[in-house]
Amino acid sequence: MPEHNGMPSHGEACFVVLPDHEAALAVAPALQTPTTRTLAHPSGRPWLIGHWSDDEITVAAAGETRLAIIGTCPIGAERLGQEAARLRDLAHLDQLTRTLPGSFHLIAALGDRLRVQGSASGLRLVFHTRAHGLTVAADRADVLAALLGGALDERQIAVRLLWPVPHPLQHTPLWRDVAAVEPGCHLIVEPDGRSVRLGRWWAPPEPVRPLAEGAAEVASVLTEAVAARTSGGGTVSFDLSGGLDSTSLCFLAAGRPGAKMIASTWPGRDPADEDLVWARRAAAHLPGVEHAVWPAEDSPLVYEDLLEIDDPLDEPSIGMMDRARMLSHVPRLIAMGSRLHVTGIGGDHVAWCSEAYYHGLLRRRPLLALGRLRGFRALFHWPAGPMARALADGRSYRRWLADAVDDLRAPGPAHVAETLGWGGRPRMFDWVTPEAVRAAGEVVREAAATAEPLAPDRGLHADLHAIRDCTRIIRQWEQMSRRAGLPMTSPFLDDRVIEACLSVRPEDRVTPWRYKPLLVAAMRGVVPDECLQRTNKAEASMDAADGLRRHGGDLLALWEDSRLARLGLVDAARLRELAARPDTPELRDGILYSTIGCEVWLRTLAARGSGSPAGLP
């Protein structure tokens, strides 16, 4: 069984939390090096060890209480100190964290008890393990695996070959003896330093607000989220793709005092791509904002530089496919003075919503739902039979997930069945070995026995699942971008923004008649009307197809000495055959992504495995 002892470099943010216990003195030396920073408990024993910059941490102390916020949050040390002084029970932190803007981890020590939590979105995760009899928490699973010298869990690697990975397996660590805290939950470490319990601090809001009321709230929290990124001054760059999401953030940021703004546009290679037209239209209304338009021909294609990836990540990611594209602007923006890059990623997941809400609306408001469903059917060309069956399907999530395991190799159902159901049914492809299919099936079957949906309503479940799928990718992209020298951030994925969007009635958020009506209403008066009229977005499908053709040789090389094949999880010969036929129709839907993500990730582990320190560098 392979082992992992590679760790992130000091250029990346990461931290470990230790209880105030004498056993911590045995754990800390494996984590501390000349480049790590350490904060102490009142006793002098180590509390936080890791890498962070001064502008991404706020710390406060009052008596036996310690509070730390790591990430993006405009709370100041004085305000946090007031919260520390009045804290009498760790449960009281629920109210604080449900009001703060930004995206961050919260770590609290109250006497000899600890609380550690990330974000409800899943962008900031928490993991824990037992070392020297002590419960140790961290924001990265690989940090804890390195501390233990832990072995990879091959069954969990097999699960990551599924397309897609179903809830509740999205955040399960890939190492044995490392556990994850569910997004929206916190970890409590009891006074003995060993016992733990989990508590829920976040739940999605009821989607009952009408559009006008919800739009005002979305405008307010988005404004606050952008201000949290620009309030530090300096030069901040923003994506300006021409889409509604990035355009909205640019107009919210324009003219804010203290920060210089750069709008960055990568035009697509497809002649039918309208991004540049819309981006220039928006830029014309942004006087004083520098608009950097990069040559389309300089944009890397999908699959570029897969063999060169060496980012130390704690899980596989389909984002590996677009790593070169995502980072291509970083050196140029750094040269222009940018200290932070802001993206519009996440807008598709929160300002829009799943059509699966109409499964429930059909039962509560049948006349409204039937009219909308007819519109969706015409818009998306849904066939009548599968649509009717999807609407009649009343299976619980647990039953649906258990049924999905019956044949993981079965072709996917009609698109409408997944759109109006609990989500995409997990599939395994023909290059995955029977052993891997069996292993993944066992894990999914075990999970299905007790699985609960993220929400009782299929639409809300689908929205939350999509947000978590998105944050899994963005979490890794943020680490890659920071390592490349330019931190990246996505305000649409802040918890407060997600809450504001989810609180709006689904029939006001998704309709066949209007595109992103919630965001358009929220930005009315902020974004010029002509820039709110776009009703489509670029898909970059041509770039993906060209990437397959141009980088087929790299894909062949990827499978020549496949780590997945060594583990008995894939048939490398079948993958080489596919790589030699990049124009085959079955590759058009990105079905190789999960397999490539796992293969590249295992290669980065192997590259870091020998001679790496067993703690933070």
Side-chain angles (χ1 to χ4, degrees), residues 491-513:
F492 277 105
L493 297 174
D494 287 4
D495 290 346
R496 303 292 83 77
V497 177
I498 293 170
E499 289 166 354
C501 292
L502 294 182
S503 71
V504 177
R505 296 180 307 199
E507 61 267 35
D508 289 341
R509 292 173 59 209
V510 61
T511 163
W513 321 125

Side-chain angles (χ1 to χ4, degrees), residues 378-512:
L379 181 65
F380 298 128
H381 308 290
W382 287 343
M387 177 179 172
R389 288 190 291 273
L391 291 169
D393 183 0
R395 286 178 296 172
S396 68
Y397 182 73
R398 191 175 296 178
R399 180 71 261 163
W400 173 85
L401 187 57
D403 289 346
V405 190
D406 289 343
D407 187 0
L408 290 173
R409 291 201 192 272
H415 176 69
V416 64
E418 299 187 328
T419 301
L420 296 176
W422 287 110
R425 186 178 64 79
R427 300 171 57 200
M428 283 290 199
F429 302 105
D430 64 357
W431 56 81
V432 179
T433 64
E435 293 77 15
V437 174
R438 185 164 48 250
E442 289 173 356
V443 175
V444 176
R445 192 172 290 108
E446 292 166 6
T450 58
E452 296 292 341
L454 294 168
D457 185 275
R458 296 180 182 211
L460 184 52
H461 167 86
D463 278 355
L464 293 171
H465 192 276
I467 289 168
R468 292 186 180 192
D469 266 347
C470 178
T471 57
R472 278 179 58 204
I473 298 172
I474 304 311
R475 177 173 176 262
Q476 308 295 9
W477 278 2
E478 285 190 359
Q479 292 175 15
M480 294 174 183
S481 188
R482 180 189 175 98
R483 184 172 182 247
L486 182 62
M488 165 183 154
T489 184
S490 303
F492 277 105
L493 297 174
D494 287 4
D495 290 346
R496 303 292 83 77
V497 177
I498 293 170
E499 289 166 354
C501 292
L502 294 182
S503 71
V504 177
R505 296 180 307 199
E507 61 267 35
D508 289 341
R509 292 173 59 209
V510 61
T511 163

Side-chain angles (χ1 to χ4, degrees), residues 127-130 140-146 148 150-151 172-180:
F127 304 91
H128 61 101
T129 192
R130 188 72 64 83
R140 294 179 57 129
D142 57 343
V143 170
L144 298 181
L148 299 174
T172 304
L174 281 85
W175 288 274
R176 296 174 180 177
D177 303 318
V178 178

Side-chain angles (χ1 to χ4, degrees), residues 5 22 41 54 86 107 116 120 131 148-149 180 192 224 287 332 336 345 348 378-379 406 449 483 497 610:
N5 63 351
E22 60 183 11
H41 286 282
D54 289 339
R86 67 168 63 105
I107 307 100
V116 187
L148 299 174
D192 63 4
E224 199 169 18
R332 307 180 192 215
M336 296 174 71
I345 297 171
D348 287 338
L379 181 65
D406 289 343
R483 184 172 182 247
V497 177
S610 59

Side-chain angles (χ1 to χ4, degrees), residues 285-560:
H285 293 276
L286 293 168
V289 173
E290 185 172 4
H291 187 201
V293 179
W294 315 114
E297 61 273 15
D298 288 354
S299 177
L301 294 169
V302 182
Y303 305 103
E304 189 157 324
D305 293 337
L306 286 179
L307 299 177
E308 312 303 321
I309 295 176
D310 62 354
D311 297 281
L313 306 176
D314 65 351
E315 66 169 334
S317 173
I318 65 172
M320 296 288 194
M321 261 52 64
D322 279 314
R323 177 188 180 276
R325 291 158 62 90
M326 185 271 298
L327 294 180
S328 57
H329 62 269
V330 166
R332 307 180 192 215
L333 291 175
I334 291 175
M336 296 174 71
S338 179
R339 66 169 179 84
L340 178 69
H341 187 66
V342 182
T343 85
I345 297 171
D348 287 338
H349 303 79
V350 301
W352 199 236
C353 70
S354 171
E355 292 86 3
Y357 280 103
Y358 284 88
H359 182 280
L361 280 170
L362 182 63
R363 288 147 178 83
R364 299 192 302 273
R365 301 185 63 187
L367 292 179
L368 168 73
L370 283 171
R372 298 285 184 86
L373 286 165
R374 280 194 290 267
F376 284 127
R377 185 186 172 203
L379 181 65
F380 298 128
H381 308 290
W382 287 343
M387 177 179 172
R389 288 190 291 273
L391 291 169
D393 183 0
R395 286 178 296 172
S396 68
Y397 182 73
R398 191 175 296 178
R399 180 71 261 163
W400 173 85
L401 187 57
D403 289 346
V405 190
D406 289 343
D407 187 0
L408 290 173
R409 291 201 192 272
H415 176 69
V416 64
E418 299 187 328
T419 301
L420 296 176
W422 287 110
R425 186 178 64 79
R427 300 171 57 200
M428 283 290 199
F429 302 105
D430 64 357
W431 56 81
V432 179
T433 64
E435 293 77 15
V437 174
R438 185 164 48 250
E442 289 173 356
V443 175
V444 176
R445 192 172 290 108
E446 292 166 6
T450 58
E452 296 292 341
L454 294 168
D457 185 275
R458 296 180 182 211
L460 184 52
H461 167 86
D463 278 355
L464 293 171
H465 192 276
I467 289 168
R468 292 186 180 192
D469 266 347
C470 178
T471 57
R472 278 179 58 204
I473 298 172
I474 304 311
R475 177 173 176 262
Q476 308 295 9
W477 278 2
E478 285 190 359
Q479 292 175 15
M480 294 174 183
S481 188
R482 180 189 175 98
R483 184 172 182 247
L486 182 62
M488 165 183 154
T489 184
S490 303
F492 277 105
L493 297 174
D494 287 4
D495 290 346
R496 303 292 83 77
V497 177
I498 293 170
E499 289 166 354
C501 292
L502 294 182
S503 71
V504 177
R505 296 180 307 199
E507 61 267 35
D508 289 341
R509 292 173 59 209
V510 61
T511 163
W513 321 125
R514 290 185 291 165
Y515 181 66
K516 294 188 180 178
L518 175 57
L519 187 58
V520 170
M523 293 295 101
R524 188 75 68 189
V526 176
V527 177
D529 287 348
E530 68 168 322
C531 299
L532 292 174
Q533 294 173 3
R534 189 171 186 183
T535 58
N536 62 5
K537 61 178 294 178
E539 295 183 359
S541 56
M542 190 182 86
D543 290 1
D546 287 349
L548 266 175
R549 287 188 287 271
R550 184 172 300 181
H551 301 298
D554 285 351
L555 289 179
L556 277 170
L558 200 64
W559 311 124
E560 285 299 332

